[in-house]
């Protein structure tokens, strides 16, 4: 299977590396680290065992990659205005596009551009960071949940899940991708938001009772908003407690948004906060704490927010 | 009138200087800046006209000051556990104690220690900072509203107001000190809190619409909590709009809590946030944004919060 990885950050590099190691024909669109990766390959430091790919097919433009069977999108969501330019050269008649991006609105953006039948979405529970050029660090988890944006071809979805599983990626199919996305937001909103705002890793938030309570309150607002979107099965409030315990086991982990802030990069406030807030508001769900967190993040990182408000 | 100033920070120095300039016998308890102030006096840089006091009666202990007619308390509220030690040597039979401290709980603390009849409270609308040792900068406003903790002797209150007025301090009497305190919190909670958290002056908050909205939402939570405390006359929501406009005119102003954070000092989170939150909670008033702000401040300044939570 010819696979194009668009957005080869910590997520794109990690899954791309596993797919290549699993025998797939993987092509990476690279910006940063092009030289290091094409010359020396990729080194993956993983809790599941380190490995390296001495050879890696890296490109500077999508046109050089050409049509692929699967496009895996790991782009930061604030770069979504580049989707048309980056993906158009990669399409043949039956190319599938799988977005593993954060937040909401990504499948919709892809469906608007390329038609909903091509579009699959997934949420990744992955703790990974980039290290030195040519390296990626896999610190924890890694499973993905994938689903169709609109019901179209379940067998195709199952084949894709098999491809990931064969590559060593725990992959589950969801018939309610929307629910999976909101479940991910239950983690992403409090932890990405608070860790980026306070510049503190997850463990520091969870050890202070008042702050742990705040994390849970943020989670409950997200759950309420998600459950107002017509999910097949509601997310129970106990999901928040499960996520707290899951995070307790992560130790001194910095979410990607915290690292982005530390390194002065733009934050995914629109996809992770503003779009979910607008979906909540549309259903009349009050999300005062989530809205406050979004505003504080925008205020704390002027210029780093996608759209000044 | 013999006046003892306890807590000679920007507020205590400023009002003490005016009272001395107005002919009162003012005695300052000093820690920081003792040397500069007792050797060279005090220089006041004021929007109402600069002036200096070449001589200033400064002391290292309250015992050296001895009994006074009025004790003006400008201490940071997290130092309230020192009130007994600092004020006891200053009392004669009819000594009045006027606290101009921030937040809630100060009159109560003084009344518990020294009896409610002595206790007067006031809120100061003062923009002032300390500068170099021996200087204080008066940047704006300056009026105070004073009232009795418990109705006791209105003539005494009026005489005190006259003393301030004669010294050039705009001073109004309130028969509802509680209301005046909550009105002050309508400003203090959003601006001290957000400016300290984000390390941004008031103008930066107010120019961003989403942040201006957040300031107003915080104000409305404080107004709702205040109005649940049995005020003689409720605070109207329009008070928030008045405070926003008032603050628009302050320009690049840093509230005291922001300066305290910048300089690594302890923050008055207990008096300005936690006690008002507990008063609100007691009356069943939801204050999610104020609570979140308090938690974020505590989290952002570990060790700077009075009590770890």
């Amino acid at each position: 299977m010819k696979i194009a990885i668009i957005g080869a950050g910590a997520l794109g590099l990690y899954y791309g590396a596993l797919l290549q190691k699993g025998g797939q024909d993987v092509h990476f669109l690279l910006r940063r680290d092009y030289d290091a990766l094409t010359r020396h390959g990729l080194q993956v430091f993983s809790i599941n065992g380190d490995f390296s790919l001495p050879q890696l097919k890296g490109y500077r433009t999508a046109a050089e990659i050409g049509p692929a069977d699967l496009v895996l999108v790991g782009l930061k969501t604030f770069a979504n205005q580049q989707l048309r330019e980056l993906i158009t050269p990669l399409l043949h008649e039956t190319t599938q596009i799988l977005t593993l991006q954060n937040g909401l609105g990504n499948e919709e953006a892809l469906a608007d551009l390329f038609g909903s039948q091509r579009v699959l979405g997934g949420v990744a529970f992955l703790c990974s960071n980039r290290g030195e050029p040519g390296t990626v660090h896999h610190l924890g988890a890694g499973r993905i949940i994938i689903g169709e944006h609109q019901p179209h071809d379940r067998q195709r979805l199952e084949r894709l899940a098999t491809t990931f599983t064969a590559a060593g990626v725990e992959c589950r199919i969801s018939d309610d991708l929307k629910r999976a996305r909101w479940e991910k937001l239950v983690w992403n909103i409090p932890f990405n938001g608070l860790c980026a705002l306070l510049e503190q890793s997850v463990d520091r938030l969870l050890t202070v009772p008042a702050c742990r309570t705040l994390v849970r309150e943020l989670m409950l607002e997200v759950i309420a908003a998600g459950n107002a979107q017509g999910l097949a099965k509601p997310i129970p409030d106990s999901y928040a407690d499960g996520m707290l315990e899951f995070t307790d086991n992560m130790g001194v982990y910095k979410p990607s948004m915290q690292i982005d802030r530390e390194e002065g990069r733009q934050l995914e406030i629109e996809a992770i906060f503003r779009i979910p807030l607008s979906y909540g508001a549309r259903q009349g769900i009050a999300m005062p704490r989530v809205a406050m967190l979004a505003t504080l993040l925008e205020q704390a990182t002027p210029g780093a927010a996608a759209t000044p408000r």
Side-chain angles (χ1 to χ4, degrees), chain A:
Chain A
M1 193 182 212
K2 180 173 174 183
I3 300 174
I5 309 285
I6 304 303
L11 179 142
L13 283 174
Y14 175 70
Y15 289 120
L18 285 174
L19 289 163
Q20 178 175 330
K21 186 164 162 269
Q24 303 296 336
D25 178 27
V26 182
H27 302 250
F28 297 86
L29 182 70
L30 302 173
R31 296 267 155 92
R32 194 155 60 113
D33 300 1
Y34 173 89
D35 291 336
L37 288 163
T38 51
R39 275 185 209 161
H40 309 295
L42 174 66
Q43 177 70 38
V44 180
F45 299 99
S46 170
I47 51 159
N48 298 338
D50 301 345
F51 65 94
S52 59
L53 301 177
Q55 297 272 323
L56 183 142
K57 293 175 186 161
Y59 306 83
R60 289 200 186 273
T61 67
E64 292 170 78
I65 299 176
D69 305 310
L70 173 69
V71 177
L72 196 160
V73 184
L75 217 58
K76 291 284 182 182
T77 48
F78 50 71
N80 276 359
Q81 74 280 6
Q82 298 171 35
L83 288 173
R84 182 195 300 272
E85 177 199 340
L86 295 178
I87 293 177
T88 301
L90 303 171
L91 300 182
H92 60 50
E93 192 68 24
T94 59
T95 302
Q96 304 168 53
I97 307 172
L98 172 67
T99 167
L100 294 179
Q101 295 167 285
N102 274 323
L104 299 184
N106 302 304
E107 289 88 3
E108 290 78 357
L110 290 166
D112 284 350
L113 290 168
F114 307 114
S116 66
Q117 292 194 358
R118 292 184 185 278
V119 178
L120 306 161
V123 293
F125 295 88
L126 172 68
C127 303
S128 67
N129 296 324
R130 292 173 86 164
E132 298 294 297
T135 68
V136 67
H137 294 263
H138 169 222
L139 308 169
R143 70 192 173 88
I144 61 176
I145 300 171
I146 61 174
E148 295 181 296
H149 178 50
Q150 302 291 346
H152 172 62
D153 180 353
R154 203 174 198 282
Q155 287 199 328
R156 181 184 67 170
L157 184 66
E158 284 166 7
R159 282 194 300 274
L160 185 60
T162 304
T163 303
F164 275 106
T165 308
V169 177
E170 187 186 332
C171 182
R172 191 163 69 71
I173 284 177
S174 171
D175 291 317
D176 192 353
L177 177 60
K178 209 176 354 179
R179 184 178 200 263
R181 286 236 168 257
W182 279 94
E183 284 179 347
K184 179 80 186 292
L185 287 170
V186 173
W187 194 92
N188 260 343
I189 283 179
F191 286 110
N192 272 291
L194 292 173
C195 292
L197 179 68
L198 296 166
E199 303 189 83
Q200 296 182 4
S201 50
V202 296
D203 55 305
R204 287 189 56 193
L205 305 185
L206 293 177
T207 51
V208 180
C211 196
R212 191 180 179 95
T213 298
L214 174 58
V215 169
R216 192 170 185 279
E217 288 166 341
L218 286 160
M219 287 177 166
L220 294 180
E221 289 186 7
V222 180
I223 290 172
N227 286 341
Q229 309 301 320
L231 309 184
K233 213 179 95 193
I235 306 169
D237 284 355
S238 61
Y239 188 81
D241 302 301
M243 280 291 108
L244 286 167
E245 284 170 37
F246 169 77
T247 313
D248 281 330
N249 293 324
M250 288 170 70
V252 187
Y253 180 70
K254 293 183 181 185
S256 60
M257 191 177 276
Q258 181 183 359
I259 294 171
D260 286 341
R261 183 176 180 197
E262 286 177 358
E263 298 184 357
R265 286 196 296 271
Q266 201 174 331
L267 308 186
E268 299 188 281
I269 299 176
E270 192 69 19
I272 297 180
F273 288 88
R274 290 295 174 192
I275 297 178
L277 278 165
S278 72
Y279 282 29
R282 202 182 298 165
Q283 303 301 327
I285 303 298
M287 305 174 77
R289 296 172 187 86
V290 176
M292 178 164 164
L293 184 51
T295 297
L296 291 174
L297 277 172
E298 289 164 352
Q299 194 71 20
T301 57
T307 321
R309 279 157 189 279

